[in-house]
Amino acid sequence: MSRPYRRTRAGRRRHHGDHAFHPQRSGRHRGRRAVVTRAGDDGRSRPASEAGPGSRSGSASAAASAVGREARPGLRGGRRVADVVATVVLLLLGAITTVVAGRGIQFLALSFGSCDAPGNRCDEGLGSTVVTLGPVVVALVFLVTLVVCVLRLVRRRLSWPVALLGLGVLVLVFVVARLLVGGSVSIGI
């Protein structure tokens, strides 16, 4: 007689006793670890270490069973190394860009030196707000990018696109600050 099937959270059918996540056990069995099993072709279950090629086994499955949910496969091998290297390089480039953009926005204050000339008009309120808040916004963008990248690396998710997006936002913030300061100073004659 065959065992009844049950659906997992991922929608796959598994035998009743062969699932990667175990329900909470009551009483004295709560602290014990169960053997993670996988249904074979013949319907019998076998330990995850003998499950064969293509199946997830080892500490990731054991950790998933302890938490109560099935672990997602992360990046493996060369792709993982390439992602970490690309993310670190982009974050270092982002740190340099943050310093350069912050100082560049502060140097935009020099454009208000021509406001005393006859025929020139300046909106010093807008200009000083941009010069003051611009470096703060640049630093916040970099910090958010750094935190999101570290969280994604810890969770073994692809993170270099986040670092690249953060670098693009840094450049965008600098360009917007430059346009705002340039628009607040109008040179006559």
Side-chain angles (χ1 to χ4, degrees):
M1 181 167 181
S2 67
R3 290 188 247 169
Y5 284 103
R6 69 188 279 272
R7 293 212 177 260
T8 64
R9 292 180 187 171
R12 294 180 297 227
R13 289 183 356 167
R14 292 182 183 255
H15 285 289
H16 175 66
D18 301 333
H19 45 81
F21 57 93
H22 298 281
Q24 287 291 328
R25 298 179 186 185
S26 62
R28 61 190 171 120
H29 299 290
R30 184 169 296 190
R32 295 185 187 170
R33 287 199 125 161
V35 175
V36 179
T37 58
R38 177 180 166 264
D41 295 334
D42 57 355
R44 294 182 315 185
S45 63
R46 48 192 169 149
S49 60
E50 301 172 2
S55 68
R56 281 184 268 163
S57 63
S59 63
S61 295
S65 67
V67 173
R69 61 186 175 139
E70 191 171 337
R72 296 181 198 169
L75 297 175
R76 293 191 179 114
R79 291 180 59 196
R80 170 84 176 135
V81 171
D83 177 49
V84 171
V85 169
T87 303
V88 167
V89 167
L90 286 171
L91 286 175
L92 288 174
L93 188 61
I96 293 169
T97 305
T98 300
V99 171
V100 170
R103 296 302 275 171
I105 290 172
Q106 287 176 342
F107 283 132
L108 291 176
L110 296 174
S111 64
F112 293 105
S114 65
C115 290
D116 295 335
N120 293 349
R121 291 176 304 163
C122 298
D123 184 3
E124 291 183 17
L126 175 65
S128 65
T129 302
V130 170
V131 168
T132 304
L133 293 180
V136 174
V137 172
V138 167
L140 285 177
V141 167
F142 177 70
L143 286 177
V144 168
T145 302
L146 181 68
V147 168
V148 171
C149 284
V150 167
L151 288 176
R152 289 184 66 87
L153 283 173
V154 167
R155 293 178 183 161
R156 295 183 182 264
R157 300 285 179 246
L158 198 63
S159 59
W160 69 264
V162 175
L164 187 64
L165 180 68
L167 190 61
V169 172
L170 285 173
V171 171
L172 182 68
V173 167
F174 177 75
V175 168
V176 168
R178 172 66 185 103
L179 290 174
L180 285 174
V181 169
S184 66
V185 176
S186 61
I187 299 174
I189 304 179

